[in-house]
Amino acid sequence: MYRDECERLLGNTRHYKRLSRDPTIDVQEEITFLVSKGKENNWITDHEASYLIQTNPKIPYFYILPKVHKEKIPPPGRPIVSGIGSALEPLSKFVDFFLQPLVKRIPTYLKDTTHVLLLLESIAFDKSKELLITLDVESLYTNIPQEATLEVISNLLDIHMGESQTPPGFILDLAHLALTRNYFKFEDSFFLQTQGTSMGSTFAPSLACLYVDHIVRHTILHEDNPYRDQIKLWKRYIDDVLLIWTGSKEEAQEFAVWLNGANPFLTFTMNIGFYDNLALEYCDPRSYAVTLA
């Protein structure tokens, strides 16, 4: 059952490509070339250059975690790539150092459960006229488009990096390499992820947050959205959205249809409830869950 689910996921040719051999040496050569360029131009220090080149890198491996909360038999799998000690791990961590401040600038950013609770306490909510809605982005990490995400990051780095010693273009080159050369092994076969990023990569949450924020700003909260006036509050933590809706339940369902046609890569599921049915559960330091009765 486990193996069948792994093969089902890896059989999605939109997301994964089977490789004929282990690409570790090729990836390591690309990293060495790029890091040497950065060092020669004094974009990175000797210490940073040494950190970015992994000695004796491990091969990333693929596994899944069953989504038991989906209440399906057998449960679908959540794809994970363990890249600890891999050639690309230092690049992902290094790039994420520059992306994290950009994530925290997002106006709709939610930090954790405490942030959600304080936010809800501070908002005037009319439960006779307003709906509290939660949205979930389905399989966000594996669905974000790689090139479009890199373009979003490029624009943000150009705006916010200023006169940094490490130029935005070099950071983007590292991000491009870490994202588009994301390979791994399952059993005796090697694969390349051709769409999205892998859960398990350090910079995956930042990539997902920044791409979705771009869609939120330019589509969902944009003035051209015909449902914009009914959105009183839109807050998000990666793939979980908290929405206060001033329209009717029927209009909210219409909005969900519109939302799922607004971007070819993102699919949202919606749960509608009232404020007094809200329960928040602490999950872990990097996430929260909102459950509506």
Side-chain angles (χ1 to χ4, degrees):
M1 187 186 304
Y2 177 89
R3 187 175 185 275
D4 289 343
E5 178 62 8
C6 289
E7 291 185 342
R8 182 188 71 82
L9 292 169
L10 294 173
N12 185 338
T13 55
R14 289 180 56 225
H15 296 161
Y16 304 107
K17 175 184 177 182
R18 188 183 293 268
L19 301 176
S20 59
R21 61 184 178 84
D22 179 358
T24 301
I25 294 177
D26 296 337
V27 170
Q28 193 78 331
E29 288 178 352
E30 289 185 72
I31 294 171
T32 300
F33 174 80
L34 190 55
V35 171
S36 297
K37 179 180 176 182
K39 185 177 176 181
E40 290 170 3
N41 287 279
N42 295 317
W43 295 338
I44 53 176
T45 65
D46 290 346
H47 177 74
E48 289 169 332
S50 177
Y51 170 78
L52 288 169
I53 299 178
Q54 188 81 270
T55 304
N56 299 319
K58 297 180 180 178
I59 296 174
Y61 65 90
F62 177 92
Y63 67 97
I64 62 172
L65 294 176
K67 299 181 182 180
V68 294
H69 62 286
K70 295 294 185 180
E71 299 182 352
K72 295 181 179 180
I73 302 297
R78 185 189 307 279
I80 313 287
V81 174
S82 177
I84 298 174
S86 68
L88 294 173
E89 183 190 27
L91 274 67
S92 179
K93 289 183 175 180
F94 187 80
V95 171
D96 197 52
F97 173 81
F98 297 96
L99 298 186
Q100 276 292 318
L102 302 180
V103 172
K104 294 176 181 179
R105 288 176 178 265
I106 296 174
T108 58
Y109 171 75
L110 284 172
K111 182 180 179 181
D112 51 27
T113 303
T114 301
H115 189 184
V116 177
L117 292 171
L118 292 174
L119 177 66
L120 290 174
E121 289 177 357
S122 68
I123 295 174
F125 184 87
D126 187 346
K127 61 184 179 182
S128 67
K129 298 179 180 179
E130 298 173 341
L131 294 171
L132 187 68
I133 296 174
T134 58
L135 297 162
D136 176 71
V137 187
E138 296 183 5
S139 303
L140 173 60
Y141 288 176
T142 53
N143 280 316
I144 60 172
Q146 292 181 350
E147 292 302 327
T149 300
L150 290 168
E151 184 177 353
V152 169
I153 292 171
S154 175
N155 293 334
L156 290 171
L157 289 172
D158 285 339
I159 293 171
H160 297 291
M161 283 294 292
E163 298 299 323
S164 170
Q165 175 184 344
T166 307
F170 180 70
I171 298 170
L172 186 67
D173 286 342
L174 293 175
H176 186 277
L177 183 54
L179 184 61
T180 63
R181 298 294 187 272
N182 183 32
Y183 75 97
F184 55 86
K185 187 177 183 181
F186 175 69
E187 295 186 338
D188 295 325
S189 299
F190 290 89
F191 294 84
L192 177 71
Q193 185 158 358
T194 56
Q195 179 169 304
T197 182
S198 60
M199 185 174 291
S201 175
T202 301
F203 71 170
S206 295
L207 293 176
C209 277
L210 294 170
Y211 175 73
V212 175
D213 174 63
H214 175 80
I215 301 304
V216 169
R217 288 185 290 108
H218 291 86
T219 304
I220 299 170
L221 296 183
H222 194 271
E223 60 184 10
D224 290 339
N225 174 4
Y227 300 93
R228 174 65 183 85
D229 291 343
Q230 282 104 313
I231 300 174
K232 179 178 179 178
L233 175 76
W234 179 288
K235 291 288 183 177
R236 179 180 57 86
Y237 183 84
I238 307 181
D239 59 353
D240 293 313
V241 178
L242 185 63
L243 168 65
I244 293 181
W245 181 261
T246 62
S248 67
K249 183 176 181 179
E250 291 71 26
E251 289 172 324
Q253 293 169 337
E254 293 173 3
F255 169 63
V257 174
W258 177 88
L259 187 60
N260 282 324
N263 182 280
F265 301 100
L266 304 182
T267 301
F268 294 80
T269 57
M270 175 181 285
N271 291 297
I272 303 175
F274 291 95
Y275 185 79
D276 49 2
N277 288 332
L278 178 68
L280 291 109
E281 299 175 341
Y282 182 77
C283 289
D284 62 59
R286 302 188 66 182
S287 67
Y288 70 89
V290 179
T291 304
L292 291 171

